[in-house]
Amino acid sequence: MIRSTHNGSSNQSLFALEGLSFEAELSLQRLTPRLTDFWDSQDVTPELRREFELRLEHYWPELFELLFDLYGTRYDFFYHLEQILLTAAATWANRPETLREVDRHRVNEPDWFQSEKIVGGALYVDLFSENLGKLRESIDYFKQLGLTYLHLMPLFAVRPGDNDGGYAISNYRSVDPRLGTIEDLRLLADELRAVGITLVLDFVFNHTSDDHYWAQQAQAGNREYQQFYYIFPDRTQPDQYERTLREIFPTVRRGNFTWHDGMQQWVWTTFNSFQWDLNYSNPAVFRAMAEEMFFLAQTGVDILRLDAIAFIWKEMGTDCENQPNAHKLVRAFNRLTRIATPGLLFKSEAIVHPDEVVRYIGEDRCQISYNPTLMALLWESLATRQVRLLTKSLSHRHQLPKHTAWVNYLRCHDDIGWTFDDADAASLGINAFDHRQFLNAFYTGQYEGSFARGIPFQANPDTGDMRIAGTMASLAGLEQAVEQEDAHGTEMAIRRIMLLQGVTLSIGGIPLLYLGEEWGMLNDYDFVKDPAKAADTRWVHRPKMRWEFLQELNGHVEEGVNSIRSRIFLLLQKMISVRKSLPALAGQQMELVRVNNPHLLSFVRVNTGHRLIVIGNFSEQAQTFDGNHLRTAGLGRFFEDALTGESYPTSSTLQLEPYQILWLSRV
Ligand code: GLC
Ligand code: GLC
């Protein structure tokens, strides 16, 4: 076998041919005495130790190969390898027994998150309930809505002033004191687990805040910590990198580097200038972040959302996104969790080209992923009233490897970017650049006749790029209709909202609401009054929860009246509970139904003998659907809409009301 001390990717194929199994095994043998010392110092049963060792034997060769590939030429490789292994062992040894139980259960049931019963919600702790203590009192609310999965936006200690909505973390091991303590987080995790709600937290691993301990040490001139980041004495290298980089936040600062006055050096800052990108070419960074990850795992979190995953590896001459080594890093983190915290899952946050999004998904990387392509194309379909780009994309992009799932969402705390594939568009004769310009004009309300009230995010004058901010309801037409006291417009807006929810709740994967959607919350323009938020238009769609809506709802239910918000809440609540009653909606398998109507999206969901046909009308005109299509797709003659209870015989043509969605099962 050919050996090389060079770590270049050209040698990868040579290693891949024979693998590194001998080297992996020998290294493990050499490390075993250290592990033995560790276990001997611990008060753990032989069974517990054996469980760890079995998983280690299984995953070690791959973990070793990944880390060797990334760091094998580094002078301190073996030191970090040893530390990583000991950290993994300590994590298992100290893992609360309740979490070990969850681990064992999930190893045996790797599809636990594919259930039709799973429905997610995402929220900011401070905006929703002030703090973690009060959030515990909201568990009934989540149950009332039907949520079984909760993503709490970053709640860790942050820098003072602007902290990018919590994504500028100064300490991964402490909770923002305004929200509570780590102990509060543990209590919340326990309570959520007790009622069957999965907890999702961010693992913001691409960057730290500029006031994180490591960054402070770097600023103080500590060389060890300067190597945790990308720091440059002059513009030579930044300029070279810059030639092939995109700008993510061009209105914050041009380029990807920030001059630091104190250090008199340039720092790589992909996002805001106070978010310093970590240097994963340094094994010390991988090791340190693995330790932070395990700390989080021990609080009782079920799923870690890998924030800004596409950016974690930099390679001169590339756009430094989606690099092969970024995937190796994710796999290495994943293999570590298999060994030490096997119940923990990863969720990918890659808001990039659809071909790249899917590459982060796998049992050996992120088991679940945001589905930004579906999200963007649902909004695209609403704007165009046509589903051809959406169906084109779904026809070859929905399928995922087994034991993985999409997270289907409509809005989140971030902007909407039109990340569809240009070639998908071209195949339909759509010019992608022009189409994005149209969508931006449409969703900012500039386009004649648009119902939307979005606002621009990160418009880049050089490239013409722009993304869209705005709440679901404001983008779907509710803000405009309410302002114009337009009853018909209001009705249409509510229907658009329910149409989109009806798709994400049925198409396969985990549906995820961004809380506030359930009330049709409108844009909140007051963010401009807060200097720490004014420059970031995403705050327009991050409103505070209004608990009086819930009181109003309760009053309304008694009096039999319905405000717009109560209606949206009740419709959504109903849809969620119907989803949970339909086993056909479990899993990921989905097949499109060919229909000769450009406004109708139709697909079949099949699971363990259950079958559901979904038909959605993306136009504000009534549409018809041939009964024969339904008969052949649904394998039956009489159907019932699970949402309304209406019957649909296939002997006649089906009528769909404007924006109506049907969930049809055979009767
Ligand atoms: C992710 C977050 C976004 C944040 C960025 C930097 O994309 O979702 O809110 O600004 O990462 O952390
Ligand atoms: C993400 C995405 C970008 C998104 C941003 C948050 O990581 O790549 O498109 O808009 O960060 O705003």
Side-chain angles (χ1 to χ4, degrees), residues 124 151 153-154 163-168 202 204-207 248-249 270-272 275 305-309 311 349-351 370 412-415 457 467 536 538 542:
Y124 285 93
H151 171 209
M153 300 298 296
N163 56 50
D164 191 19
Y167 285 98
D202 279 88
V204 184
F205 73 140
N206 176 69
H207 45 263
I248 305 301
F249 286 168
T270 300
F271 297 94
N272 289 286
Q275 288 162 303
R305 173 190 180 278
L306 302 197
D307 181 66
I309 191 171
F311 299 89
E349 192 251 342
I351 315 301
Y370 279 107
C412 68
H413 69 290
D414 280 333
D415 46 285
F457 178 66
R467 279 118 70 191
D536 188 332
R538 289 174 297 173
R542 299 172 180 175

Side-chain angles (χ1 to χ4, degrees), residues 1 139 143 184 202 211 224 237 262 271 304 374 408 494-495 522-523 530 580 648:
M1 179 166 163
I139 290 181
K143 290 207 271 189
D184 291 325
D202 279 88
D211 73 342
E224 185 181 350
Q237 285 200 58
F271 297 94
L304 287 178
L374 176 67
N408 298 316
I494 296 175
R495 289 190 189 191
L522 302 179
N523 286 347
D530 182 341
K580 293 181 171 183
Y648 291 86

Side-chain angles (χ1 to χ4, degrees), residues 79-95:
Y79 165 76
H80 291 294
L81 192 66
E82 176 175 324
Q83 293 304 310
I84 289 165
L85 185 57
L86 289 172
T87 302
T91 301
W92 179 248
N94 299 321
R95 191 140 169 90

Side-chain angles (χ1 to χ4, degrees), residues 114-170:
Q114 307 271 9
S115 164
E116 71 279 10
K117 307 269 195 266
I118 193 165
V119 177
L123 60 84
Y124 285 93
V125 176
D126 57 339
L127 299 174
F128 186 81
S129 61
E130 263 181 70
N131 58 48
L132 287 171
K134 290 198 187 149
L135 189 68
R136 272 173 30 224
E137 295 163 18
S138 307
I139 290 181
D140 276 341
Y141 179 80
F142 306 134
K143 290 207 271 189
Q144 189 181 351
L145 194 53
L147 304 185
T148 62
Y149 161 122
L150 202 60
H151 171 209
L152 305 181
M153 300 298 296
L155 40 74
F156 305 100
V158 285
R159 71 195 293 281
D162 188 356
N163 56 50
D164 191 19
Y167 285 98
I169 295 180
S170 35

